[in-house]
Each structure stands twice: as structure tokens, then as C-alpha cells.
Amino acid sequence: MTKALVTIPTYNEADNIRDIIHAVFGLEQEFHLLIVDDGSPDGTGDIVVELQSEYPDNLHFIRRTGKNGLGTAYIAAFRWALERDYTHVFEMDADFSHDPKDLPRLLEACTEYGADFAIGARYVKGVNVVNWPMSRVLLSYFASKYVRTVTGLPVADSTAGFKCYRREVLETIDLNKIRFVGYAFQIEMKFTAWKCGFEIAEVPVIFTERKY
């Protein structure tokens, strides 16, 4: 039985968090949601707590103190998921740069097409990025090219942060040895999963820059 958990780290996402939660729970397929908030002063965490009464079984929350980095937020979420019976764990942003409607497509790559680890990729079929300045698109695109050249990682979008892991991937990776806490965390997790022999699939998605 598939049981999927979407993990979202937050810091000052009060303008987005209510809508992203409703969007995930509005999908036809059932997902659970874990928000990891780093003590947002704008009240993000309070909104999540408020919405837990609306989604008491599926909305979960970890409140941390201080900004401890993207990587540590995800590691905390992975550990939380592994203590429970989730079969698949997602990474996703709160600001709609990752479309919740793509969650079932990433899950399908793992449940139907044999991937251990699915990436929502911007650069599989051209460049699928909306509302970024060209300088930022080029920096991101060529950063992924550079990572592939240096490491051999067979992934077109090595910096992507929209991902689905089979439980076995997170159980195999030694989370204590993941060193990076910023955006390099995304590269390190992909590289480590690949070196462990897991099958990686890239699912084309459109990345949209945040409005709020």
C-alpha cells in the first residue's frame, strides 16, 4: 500500500502556506503533509497549527527555533517519516514554484515505472522556467551541466528541489553523513542516492518563480 508524505520546509511563508496546504489536500490522490518551520516571525507556523484542525489526520507540523538551513529541515523531515509507515517521501517548496499537480506524476515514476528516486526536472526538455531573469536561468542551467561533468551524475537538473524518494533510499543513505545544509544539499542527496545504486528518473516539470 502506497502512503506518501510531502515535506515542505518554511521560513516566512505566511502569504503562501494556507494556499499550498489546500492545494495538496485538494488533489484527487491522497497525500500527507509535513511542514517544518524554522521559527518564522511572520506567523507561518501559527497558520499551520490553525489548519491542523481542518486536516487532523493528514497535516503534521515540526516547529524549530531559528534558521537552521534547508538541509537540516529536510533531514528532520526524513527522520520523522522513517519513524512512521510512509512508503514515499517528497521534497517541495511552499511558494508554488513546484506545482502540487505534479506530485502524482513523480509518485507514478516510482510506483509504476521502477524509479527509486524521481526528480521534477526543469531541464529535461529544453528550459522550463517561468519568470526568472535570463542570468539566473543560465546560472542554474550551467551549474547543473558543471555538476554532471565533474561528478558523472547522470541527471540534467542536479539542483532541483522537487523530488520523490522511495523509503528504501532514505533508509540506505546515512543521513548523519550528509554535510551540506544549503542548496548544495540537493546535489549531495542526488549524488549519494546514485552512488548507492538507486535508479533515478527525471520527470519534466515547469518551474514558476514565486509571486509572494
Side-chain angles (χ1 to χ4, degrees), residues 18-45:
R18 189 182 302 274
D19 289 341
I20 198 73
I21 289 172
H22 288 318
V24 171
F25 290 137
L27 296 171
E28 183 175 341
Q29 191 162 356
E30 182 180 47
F31 292 90
H32 285 211
L33 187 54
L34 171 64
I35 309 297
V36 182
D37 185 70
D38 273 4
S40 297
D42 71 345
T44 299

Side-chain angles (χ1 to χ4, degrees), residues 8-192:
I8 299 179
T10 56
Y11 185 77
N12 284 351
E13 292 288 358
D15 290 337
N16 292 305
I17 194 63
R18 189 182 302 274
D19 289 341
I20 198 73
I21 289 172
H22 288 318
V24 171
F25 290 137
L27 296 171
E28 183 175 341
Q29 191 162 356
E30 182 180 47
F31 292 90
H32 285 211
L33 187 54
L34 171 64
I35 309 297
V36 182
D37 185 70
D38 273 4
S40 297
D42 71 345
T44 299
D46 295 333
I47 295 172
V48 177
V49 171
E50 171 195 332
L51 289 175
Q52 282 186 301
S53 62
E54 187 173 345
Y55 306 104
D57 299 322
N58 289 17
L59 179 58
H60 311 284
F61 183 49
I62 297 175
R63 190 194 297 268
R64 308 198 304 171
T65 57
K67 291 186 71 174
N68 297 304
L70 181 74
T72 66
Y74 276 128
I75 295 296
F78 297 158
R79 295 190 191 283
W80 190 93
L82 291 174
E83 291 171 357
R84 293 157 179 84
D85 58 347
Y86 292 102
T87 61
H88 296 80
V89 181
F90 289 79
E91 294 181 22
M92 192 174 79
D93 290 348
D95 60 6
F96 286 92
S97 55
H98 304 144
D99 189 342
K101 293 178 182 177
D102 288 323
L103 288 169
R105 297 174 59 229
L106 293 182
L107 183 59
E108 185 179 45
C110 293
T111 58
E112 302 296 330
Y113 297 106
D116 297 306
F117 176 24
I119 301 167
R122 299 162 289 185
Y123 308 130
V124 175
K125 296 182 178 179
V127 177
N128 294 310
V129 178
V130 177
N131 293 336
W132 266 13
M134 183 55 65
S135 59
R136 189 174 178 188
V137 172
L138 291 174
L139 179 62
S140 174
Y141 178 79
F142 284 108
S144 288
K145 288 284 190 182
Y146 177 78
V147 169
R148 183 166 185 163
T149 300
V150 171
T151 66
L153 177 66
V155 168
D157 192 354
S158 60
T159 61
F162 193 18
K163 299 183 283 186
C164 174
Y165 303 89
R166 286 179 61 239
R167 178 186 185 90
E168 288 76 8
V169 177
L170 299 178
E171 287 177 328
T172 301
I173 292 174
D174 186 346
L175 299 176
N176 290 321
K177 292 184 178 180
I178 298 299
R179 295 175 297 169
F180 291 106
V181 298
Y183 285 99
F185 166 83
Q186 304 294 7
I187 300 171
E188 185 177 10
M189 285 295 294
K190 295 180 185 71
F191 181 78
T192 305

